[in-house]
Amino acid sequence: MAANPAAGLNITDLAEQRGVRDCLQWFTREKQWINEIHLQLCRVPAPTLMEQERAAWFLEQFRAAGWDASIDRAGNVIAAAGQAPYVALTAHLDTVITPRGSEDIFVEADGRFRGPGVSDNGAGLAALLAMARAWKVGQNLPEFSRGLLLVANVAEEGEGNLLGMRFLCKQSPLAKKIEAYLVVDGANIDHITTRALGSRRFELTYTGPGGHSWSDYGVGNPVHALCRAVALFAETRLENGPKSAFNVGLIDGGSSVNAIAQSARAKVDIRSESNQKMDELVELLSGAADRARDLENQRATSGKIACKLKEIGSRPAAALAENAAILQHLRAVDAHLGIRSHVDCSSTDANIPLSLEIPAVAIGAGGAGGGAHTTAEWFRPDGRDLGLKRIFLTLLLLRRGEGNGK
């Protein structure tokens, strides 16, 4: 039988308690309902920073399931049970690609879901709704020291910059009442994200007077400077640890083939497991930007250019302690359920609580998924109930509150 040393509780005995057993059985018995609600939520558009329609839909779902629910000032949908301190189960509302219509979310002949956001983060959001329903099924659940928050949060993807989680952890009236975060993101259950991959994102812009490509030749050219800056920065070598990466993901500027551009810009993504390494790469980017400006202005016979490097996103790197109780809980649950998992490093909503030294991990919701951030994204619901049972049992152990989650 699986025992959890952090909680001092035998998981097998816990799983056999009547209320707990009823909930665990519900996840298997109600597969069809979970699948249907999953498809419904994915058909409600939720592009990053414009999640209002899906948030309103979620508010109705939580209230229909019998929860005290509301939308906070950031746009997060929060449902609460019990009293503070709380354990928070979170899943992000937004998607990178928005379905053009309900027909973009469909089920293939083999039962696989297909369409933007069906795995990232349709799987996590479906798990949130399944927990909301199952929790009300268990009439005799153990009484533990922590309450439970279910949070469908905004702005996890791209330039959302984890706005919803930042608000929840730092500005919300609930911020100091949440002692642990279980973040559900995507489907696969073979991993436990305990290390937060940091990122810093920038918009590099060059501006000048512009002009005609023939009659104004010699005027400083923002496009030339931008290309030079990208080339200079691309020469950066990442030969030593910690593991890091950078990418120029967008370039635009100019108006015509025969016009000297008045502006040009690029967006740059820098990632690392180390905040110090990110700082070093930012310095190199800034240096390349200034060098490219100076070279273009030295070449120009008139009409000098200017450059501006603006930070548009920052996700701190951080890590959970290896002996953290939240990780011990998950490993004990995995042993009980026969799940083989490994710890990994990724960029998720867990970055924010981990950077504040609040215990947090990110895990998958069950089933399998792939093709994230594309129109061909897919999710296969087979075995989803195993992931849901994993989440449920882990929440019970976290609500027990022993070890303070750290």
Side-chain angles (χ1 to χ4, degrees):
M1 293 188 295
N4 186 337
L9 181 68
N10 187 288
I11 297 179
T12 302
D13 289 345
L14 175 64
E16 288 301 320
Q17 294 184 25
R18 181 176 177 180
V20 176
R21 186 175 67 249
D22 290 345
C23 289
L24 295 175
Q25 292 173 348
W26 187 91
F27 295 124
T28 301
R29 187 177 67 248
E30 297 297 331
K31 288 179 182 179
Q32 186 60 38
W33 181 87
I34 299 170
N35 287 346
E36 290 174 357
I37 206 71
H38 185 156
L39 292 167
Q40 287 180 40
L41 73 89
C42 288
R43 291 176 178 134
V44 182
T48 301
L49 301 177
M50 292 186 288
E51 302 95 335
Q52 295 90 338
E53 186 177 350
R54 186 176 285 181
W57 185 89
F58 253 82
L59 182 65
E60 292 180 4
Q61 297 299 317
F62 280 146
R63 288 177 173 173
W67 287 71
D68 179 14
S70 60
I71 297 178
D72 68 17
R73 288 193 292 114
N76 302 318
V77 189
I78 299 177
Q83 302 297 318
Y86 293 106
V87 172
L89 177 70
T90 77
H92 69 85
L93 284 165
D94 55 323
T95 61
V96 172
I97 298 175
T98 302
R100 294 164 298 179
S102 59
E103 67 279 0
D104 283 356
I105 306 296
F106 60 94
V107 182
E108 295 184 330
D110 63 358
R112 182 178 300 201
F113 300 0
R114 183 76 71 172
V118 292
S119 179
D120 180 16
N121 191 27
L125 292 169
L128 208 58
L129 293 175
M131 291 301 137
R133 290 281 180 175
W135 212 267
K136 298 301 181 179
V137 171
Q139 298 298 317
N140 299 295
L141 291 176
E143 289 293 335
F144 289 150
S145 59
R146 289 169 167 173
L148 175 64
L149 295 180
L150 303 180
V151 182
N153 63 278
V154 299
E156 191 272 347
E157 299 286 8
E159 293 182 27
N161 201 32
L162 309 184
L163 180 152
M165 186 59 74
R166 289 178 195 274
F167 179 85
L168 187 62
C169 290
K170 296 181 178 182
Q171 298 164 278
S172 169
L174 295 168
K176 294 182 178 180
K177 300 178 182 180
I178 303 173
E179 294 189 346
Y181 288 82
L182 186 61
V183 176
V184 188
D185 197 344
N188 301 327
I189 61 174
D190 60 350
H191 68 279
I192 304 170
T193 299
T194 60
R195 302 192 313 280
L197 176 62
S199 71
R200 295 181 66 183
R201 292 164 178 170
F202 293 86
E203 183 177 79
L204 173 60
T205 304
Y206 289 89
T207 55
H212 193 282
S213 61
W214 173 254
S215 60
D216 293 311
Y217 181 74
V219 168
N221 192 315
V223 171
H224 294 181
L226 180 64
C227 292
R228 190 175 289 116
V230 171
L232 288 170
F233 186 55
E235 293 299 317
T236 301
R237 294 290 176 263
L238 301 175
E239 298 174 344
N240 300 317
K243 187 175 180 180
S244 305
F246 60 84
N247 178 63
V248 178
L250 182 149
I251 293 179
D252 66 16
S255 57
S256 171
V257 68
N258 61 339
I260 299 171
Q262 291 183 290
S263 67
R265 64 171 186 154
K267 290 188 177 181
V268 185
D269 178 52
I270 293 172
R271 296 184 180 230
S272 179
E273 297 180 19
S274 162
N275 291 313
Q276 180 179 349
K277 187 66 175 181
M278 285 193 293
D279 290 342
E280 293 173 4
L281 289 171
V282 172
E283 286 296 319
L284 291 172
L285 174 62
S286 179
D290 290 345
R291 177 64 175 153
R293 176 201 60 207
D294 294 344
L295 288 171
E296 181 62 17
N297 282 336
Q298 289 169 16
R299 186 204 64 80
T301 57
S302 64
K304 305 298 185 181
I305 64 165
C307 76
K308 179 180 180 181
L309 187 63
K310 176 184 177 182
E311 188 162 17
I312 58 175
S314 177
R315 299 186 179 199
L320 181 71
E322 292 184 4
N323 63 346
I326 189 172
L327 181 56
Q328 294 182 47
H329 293 329
L330 259 171
R331 283 175 165 160
V333 171
D334 284 354
H336 172 75
L337 295 174
I339 296 172
R340 293 186 177 183
S341 61
H342 62 276
V343 297
D344 71 358
C345 179
S346 186
S347 179
T348 70
D349 275 316
N351 283 49
I352 301 302
L354 284 174
S355 72
L356 299 172
E357 299 186 347
I358 303 171
V361 295
I363 60 174
H373 301 183
T374 73
T375 55
E377 188 168 348
W378 60 271
F379 171 79
R380 189 172 61 246
D382 300 344
R384 187 211 297 263
D385 56 331
L386 183 63
L388 296 177
K389 292 173 183 177
R390 181 195 200 198
I391 295 168
F392 182 78
L393 289 172
T394 302
L395 286 175
L396 289 181
L397 296 179
L398 287 171
R399 289 191 64 212
R400 187 176 176 88
E402 295 183 9
N404 198 31
K406 298 181 180 180

